[in-house]
Every structure is written in C-alpha cells, then in structure tokens.
C-alpha cells in the first residue's frame, strides 16, 4: 500500500478524507511510489478558514518579528536544501544538481523578502497644504491562493509565498498533483522557523481545489503558473469573482543567432537551454532561429555536443533525467513523428536512447529537428520536452518578425557580438524577458519575472517590486493636527 500524501492545514499535516487520490510517479523508475489526496469542498474550506483565522494576528506582527522568521526560514532552507532536492528528483525526475539549482533560485526570493520593511516604506509629504500632511502606506490583502505547475515544485511557489508572507498575507498553496511532497516539506520548514500556524497552508488537489480558491469570497488574490489555457481560465474566473490575479502561462522561446556570434558559445547555450531539465522549463529554448549562413556549422557543433550528453536516473551522475509522466513523454515524442510528416529533417532522434536508468522510466533523449516549417505544430505548439527546432532565416529582420509573430512572449535571446544589433533587438522584440548572449534570461529575485502575450495574464509580474505591489494595496492618508497654540478651547497647560 502506497503512502498517501495529505494537506497541511493550520500548522499540521492533515490526511485527505475525500476518498479521491491521484498517483505520484518516480519518473526514472516508471512506477507509482505514492498517492496524493485530492481535496473536496470541506477540505478547501478548511484550508481557507485556517488562513483567514491566522491573518489578523500575522498582519499585525511587527516588521522585526516577521523578518526574524523569514531569516530563520532562509537559514534552515540553506542548510537542508539537499533533502528537498532529493524529494524533487524522486517525483519530477530532474537531475539532483538541477533540483538544487531551482531551490537556490527560490531561496533568492526568500532573501529578497527578508528586506521587506524597506520595500514597504511609504512616502510622506509635509505641508502638502498649510498644516496638512499627506502620506502613503501599503497593507496586506488577506488570504492569497498560489497554484503551481509540476516543473518547478519548489522554485515557482517560492516566487510568490516569501513575498506574500513577508507583506503580512496568509497563504493557501495548491501544488501540482504530479509532485506534491516539496510543498509539504516547505510547510514543515516554516513551522520550524516559527511561522504561526495557519499562515502557510498546503491544499493538495486538482481542478476542484483550483475552482474552490477562485470562487471563495475570503480569497483576495491568486497567483497561478501553468499552461496557457488554464492560465487564461484562472485569470478570467478569478477576475469574475472579484480577485486580483496574476496568471503565468506557457511559452515557446526563440534564440536568434546572428552570423557574427561565437558559435561555440551558441552551441553550449542551445544545449543547456534546450535540454536542461529535459526541456521542461518555461524558459527553455525551443527554437533556434539561425540567420544564414550560420545553420550548418551551428548544427554540426550542437550535434557534437548532443552525442556526449548522458541521460538517466537523476540520482546518478547524468546530464538529463526522464520526463515527468509516460503520457507526457509520449506526447512530446509524437512531435518527432509530426516533424517527419511535415517534411522537416530529424537530425537527432531521441526515441530509443540508451539510458543509465531503469528500462521502465519515462525516457526521451535530446532531439534536434532542422528546417521546421512555421506552419507545423512542432513550431506553433509548446512541446515542453527535449526537442530543439532549427528555423533558418535570411536576415535579422526576418528573425525578429518571426519571433514577434509568435503567440507566446515569455523569454527570448539574441547571440551576437554586435552591440548595436543587440540594442535594436532589446528594443524591437515583443517578449517579456530578453537575454543578450544569455540563453535563459530568468531575472534575479529583485527584478520581476513574467512574459507577454499568451505567456502571462494580468499586468503584475512575479517577485521583485511588482510582487510586493501585487500582494499589498495602497492607502493615502491626508492628515491635519491642529497646533494647540491656535486659540480656541485649550484645557492644557498655558502655552506661549
Ligand atoms: P498545468 O496547466 O497542467 O497545471 C498547472 C496547475 O493547474 C496545477 O496545479 C494543476 O493542478 C492545475 N490544473 C490543471 N488542470 C486544471 C484545470 N482544468 N482547471 C484548473 N486547474 C487545473 O501545467 P503543468 O503541466 O503542471 O506545467 C507546465 C506548464 O506550465 C507549461 O505550459 C509551462 O510553460 C508552464 N509554466 C509557465 C511558467 C511561467 O513562468 N510562465 C513557469 C513554469 C511553468
């Protein structure tokens, strides 16, 4: 009998009572190792009620006390992140070093949130009118919901909850049902760091739990990350129910390579950004846009490197792990067949690759497809796996037009040694996050993360100052204190 992963409500682990569960796989072994409880309405209400109950006290904790807890959480996370990395690898499949990498990026947001008192300072204008002062403050919203995807079970929740908590909100996190244990581990860490019960809750579940958060009147705001159709749904439903929503969606990221680029750097970057985490990253490079005559020599260098990549169990010393489920692996592999049918050239086919792992794992090796037509589904759809496409263009302008015509706008990169071209690119390109000779331009924690077009709905991005803005609302106060020396009734001591 497998262990069933439960919820974390009001400061304690709570077993699921709905009778509904979902299997959790070890993708490198290809077997179900656990089940996760899926919340019913009573459990959804219980998690929101715990967060609502904890809110007034947590909101009124002094900045100093809040900061102390944030610092402690950061120290514990830093000490023990190896444990969390093992949990991530066992449920997601990414290699251990990459799991540690995602935790480190999440930890940066915790570190940013430790400085929250500085970011919450308001403005003060003395004598805006004679004897009248005007000042501003930002206050917490209340209960906020965070709904996260499978591909970053620690980092994506950490884009949001350190800031939500540091600004005085209470949280209900609904992690992906594919890798639900990381969230529980983080909840226990918060408790150890001294966070009052009910400030951070974990609700395991599926669409029912998401809808519950979207519709409940006590939930003030929703931060969502996932595929574009669900992001759009969450944005619309949340707005309909009067909530503040930021909903980050899918991606199809291009890398534009100009003929003057350093092709060794480009090839290394294409490999890292195309196949890291088996391509299951929203900032993965999916399409290399090669400005001719760059394509042939670049493909040669990429293939040389692909031949050296090792694929296997993420607990071993491999470059790339399995995909998250068999169903997802099969879907990703189906694009290789589509490429063949659409007349593209499959240069390296990742199906049937030799792996350092169990034969039942959800394997698909790095795949390279040349001459992909922009009308093909291989180009138009998000694949979310280790499949890198090459599209050949004749000029910089053609490349920019192609990228700007894309439906998504999460990240993009240009590789060139021409500063003028790079500067034009950053100005002209219709994408939210840009890399210049950097393939995965994920902004650091004190900047904000988010794309354009179908990659993000709502105008406020994750973390950085925009994250602080999202989790607080502003007040402007106009005040006049009469000077007691101004005549009138005065029952105090005599004045000059
Ligand atoms: P997903 O959309 O399937 O799931 C995301 C969340 O929504 C999960 O918690 C899931 O339980 C919930 N969900 C699933 N179906 C739902 C439904 N019908 N109604 C309501 N909620 C539902 O995404 P995923 O497969 O877990 O993650 C991969 C996707 O996330 C990719 O598209 C990737 O690009 C995207 N992503 C985007 C970013 C970003 O910053 N833009 C970051 C990470 C991942």
């Amino acid at each position: 009998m497998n262990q069933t992963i439960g919820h974390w409500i009001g400061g304690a682990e709570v077993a699921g009572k709905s009778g509904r569960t979902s299997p959790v796989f070890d993708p490198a072994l290809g077997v179900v190792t656990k089940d996760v409880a899926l919340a019913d309405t009573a459990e959804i209400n219980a998690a929101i009620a715990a967060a609502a109950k904890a809110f007034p006290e947590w909101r009124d904790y002094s900045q100093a006390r809040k900061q102390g807890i944030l610092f402690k959480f950061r120290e514990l996370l830093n000490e023990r992140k190896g444990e969390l990395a093992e949990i991530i690898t066992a449920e997601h499949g990414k290699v251990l070093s990459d799991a540690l990498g995602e935790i480190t990026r999440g930890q940066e947001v915790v570190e940013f949130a430790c400085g929250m008192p500085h970011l919450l300072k308001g403005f003060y204008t003395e004598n805006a009118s004679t004897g009248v002062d005007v000042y501003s403050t930002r206050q917490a919203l209340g209960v906020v919901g965070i709904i996260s995807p499978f591909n970053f079970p620690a980092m994506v929740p950490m884009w949001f909850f350190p800031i939500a908590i540091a600004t005085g909100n209470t949280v209900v996190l609904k992690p992906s049902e594919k890798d639900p244990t990381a969230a529980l581990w983080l909840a226990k860490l918060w408790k150890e760091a001294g966070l009052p019960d009910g400030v951070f809750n974990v609700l395991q579940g599926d669409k029912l739990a998401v809808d519950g958060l979207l519709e409940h009147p006590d939930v003030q705001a929703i931060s969502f990350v996932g595929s574009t159709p669900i992001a759009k749904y969450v944005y619309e439903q949340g707005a309909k129910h009067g909530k503040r929503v930021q909903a980050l969606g899918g991606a199809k990221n291009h890398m534009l390579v100009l003929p003057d680029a350093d092709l060794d750097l480009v090839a290394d970057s294409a490999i890292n950004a195309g196949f890291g985490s088996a391509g299951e990253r929203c900032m993965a490079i999916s399409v290399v846009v090669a400005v001719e005559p760059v394509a042939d020599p670049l493909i040669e260098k990429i293939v040389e490197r692909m031949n050296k990549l090792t694929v296997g169990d993420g607990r071993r010393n491999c470059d790339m792990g399995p995909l998250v489920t068999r169903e997802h692996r099969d879907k990703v592999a189906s694009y290789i067949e589509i490429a063949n049918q659409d007349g593209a050239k499959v240069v390296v086919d990742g199906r049937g690759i030799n792996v350092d792992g169990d034969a039942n794992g959800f394997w698909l090796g790095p795949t390279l497809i040349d001459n992909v037509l922009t009308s093909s589904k291989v180009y138009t759809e998000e694949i979310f796996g280790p499949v890198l496409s090459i599209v050949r263009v004749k000029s910089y302008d053609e490349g920019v037009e192609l990228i700007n015509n894309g439906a998504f706008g999460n990240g993009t990169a240009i590789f060139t040694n021409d500063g003028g071209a790079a500067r034009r690119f950053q100005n002209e390109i219709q994408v939210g996050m840009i890399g210049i000779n950097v393939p995965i331009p994920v902004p650091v924690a004190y900047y904000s993360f988010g794309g354009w077009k179908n990659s993000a709905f709502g105008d406020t991005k994750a973390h950085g100052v925009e994250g602080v803005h999202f989790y607080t609302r502003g007040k402007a106060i106009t005040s006049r204190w009469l000077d007691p020396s101004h005549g009138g009734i005065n029952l105090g001591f005599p004045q000059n």
Side-chain angles (χ1 to χ4, degrees):
M1 189 68 179
N2 288 327
Q3 170 204 356
T4 302
I5 299 157
H7 315 286
W8 184 271
I9 299 176
E13 201 164 345
V14 178
K17 294 189 193 73
S18 70
R20 295 193 310 129
T21 58
S22 180
V24 179
F25 291 90
D26 184 322
L29 303 177
V31 293
V32 177
T33 50
K34 301 162 206 153
D35 294 300
V36 59
L38 299 176
D40 62 14
T41 305
E43 289 163 324
I44 297 165
N45 290 340
I48 297 170
K53 183 164 169 247
F55 175 62
E57 191 194 342
W58 177 245
R59 176 196 57 201
D60 293 342
Y61 257 52
S62 69
Q63 299 292 349
R65 284 183 82 191
K66 287 196 188 98
Q67 253 184 306
I69 293 168
L70 261 290
F71 266 114
K72 181 78 183 158
F73 180 80
R74 187 269 170 202
E75 289 303 285
L76 292 172
L77 180 64
N78 193 44
E79 261 166 43
R80 301 220 205 117
K81 52 187 165 194
E83 283 169 36
L84 181 57
E86 280 174 25
I87 290 170
I88 294 171
T89 296
E91 294 183 1
H92 176 283
K94 64 178 74 175
V95 298
L96 271 175
S97 57
D98 195 39
L100 268 176
E102 81 156 278
I103 300 165
T104 302
R105 295 312 302 264
Q107 185 177 312
E108 288 171 13
V109 184
V110 181
E111 287 159 4
F112 169 74
C114 286
M116 196 54 72
H118 177 67
L119 290 154
L120 286 178
K121 286 190 299 193
F123 295 103
Y124 194 102
T125 304
E126 205 173 37
N127 270 336
S129 183
T130 308
V132 174
D133 304 330
V134 178
Y135 49 99
S136 65
T137 182
R138 296 200 71 84
Q139 297 185 337
L141 305 176
V143 179
V144 301
I146 298 169
I147 300 157
S148 56
F150 82 83
N151 66 319
F152 286 114
M155 182 185 79
V156 166
M158 282 199 275
W159 281 352
F160 303 106
F161 69 64
I163 296 177
I165 289 173
T167 48
N169 300 280
T170 55
V171 169
V172 178
L173 166 64
K174 197 223 73 73
S176 167
E177 56 275 50
K178 293 194 177 90
D179 42 17
T181 307
L184 275 189
W185 189 92
L186 288 162
K188 287 176 195 158
L189 210 69
W190 272 122
K191 177 138 183 141
E192 213 178 314
L195 192 72
D197 292 346
V199 176
F200 183 74
N201 305 277
V202 177
L203 183 68
Q204 308 288 6
D206 54 6
K207 177 172 166 53
L208 194 71
V210 173
D211 286 340
L213 288 168
L214 290 171
E215 289 165 20
H216 199 291
D218 285 349
V219 176
Q220 306 299 323
I222 297 282
S223 299
F224 172 90
V225 180
S227 58
T228 291
I230 313 288
K232 197 158 183 283
Y233 167 80
V234 164
Y235 182 67
E236 288 170 359
Q237 281 296 104
K240 200 167 124 191
H241 288 88
K243 303 191 192 319
R244 190 178 281 205
V245 188
Q246 50 181 188
L248 279 56
K252 188 88 187 175
N253 305 316
H254 299 72
M255 175 200 252
L256 181 65
V257 184
L258 302 194
D260 71 334
D262 173 338
L263 289 194
D264 285 303
L265 173 70
V266 176
D268 288 344
S269 301
I271 295 280
N272 297 342
F275 305 125
S277 198
E280 291 171 330
R281 286 182 182 146
C282 63
M283 290 293 273
I285 289 294
S286 177
V287 185
V288 173
V289 182
V291 179
E292 292 295 31
V294 119
D296 286 333
L298 178 59
I299 288 170
E300 198 179 306
K301 285 180 187 289
I302 291 177
V303 172
E304 213 175 87
R305 287 159 172 79
M306 286 175 79
N307 289 337
K308 292 186 193 139
L309 288 179
T310 54
V311 178
D313 190 317
R315 288 157 287 224
R316 301 182 194 173
N317 196 16
C318 302
D319 295 314
M320 198 183 101
L323 277 86
V324 70
T325 58
R326 178 172 291 114
E327 191 189 8
H328 185 57
R329 188 269 318 272
D330 292 347
K331 182 170 176 235
V332 173
S334 74
Y335 286 98
I336 305 175
E337 216 32 66
I338 295 173
N340 275 325
Q341 285 158 16
D342 289 352
K345 181 178 171 204
V346 179
V347 183
V348 180
D349 188 334
R351 293 172 294 186
I353 186 166
N354 285 329
V355 295
D356 180 11
D358 194 282
N360 293 318
F362 308 139
W363 309 112
L364 181 67
T367 297
L368 184 69
I369 307 176
D370 187 17
N371 277 317
V372 173
L373 290 180
T374 52
S375 55
S376 167
K377 278 187 186 174
V378 176
Y379 179 78
T380 56
E381 294 184 0
E382 180 181 35
I383 298 177
F384 219 57
V387 177
L388 188 61
S389 297
I390 307 277
V391 175
R392 297 168 181 243
V393 294
K394 289 192 193 66
S395 63
Y396 164 88
D397 286 327
E398 196 188 329
V400 167
E401 196 185 340
L402 181 82
I403 298 171
N404 283 347
N405 283 338
F408 299 98
N410 216 37
T412 189
I414 185 169
F415 279 75
T416 180
N417 281 318
D418 180 338
R423 194 167 178 276
R424 245 185 92 182
F425 183 78
Q426 78 180 40
N427 179 258
E428 293 173 348
I429 211 73
Q430 303 293 302
V431 173
M433 294 172 279
I434 319 287
I436 296 174
N437 297 317
V438 173
I440 306 188
V442 175
V444 288
Y446 41 95
Y447 282 79
S448 298
F449 182 105
W452 287 15
K453 301 197 263 187
N454 281 344
S455 293
F457 302 91
D459 81 335
T460 316
K461 297 182 176 187
H463 61 70
V465 176
E466 292 197 36
V468 178
H469 196 93
F470 182 77
Y471 288 123
T472 54
R473 58 187 143 205
K475 266 184 185 164
I477 300 116
T478 304
S479 92
R480 172 164 57 196
W481 292 99
L482 294 184
D483 182 337
S485 67
H486 279 180
I489 295 172
N490 183 355
L491 303 186
F493 282 100
Q495 306 286 316
N496 291 330

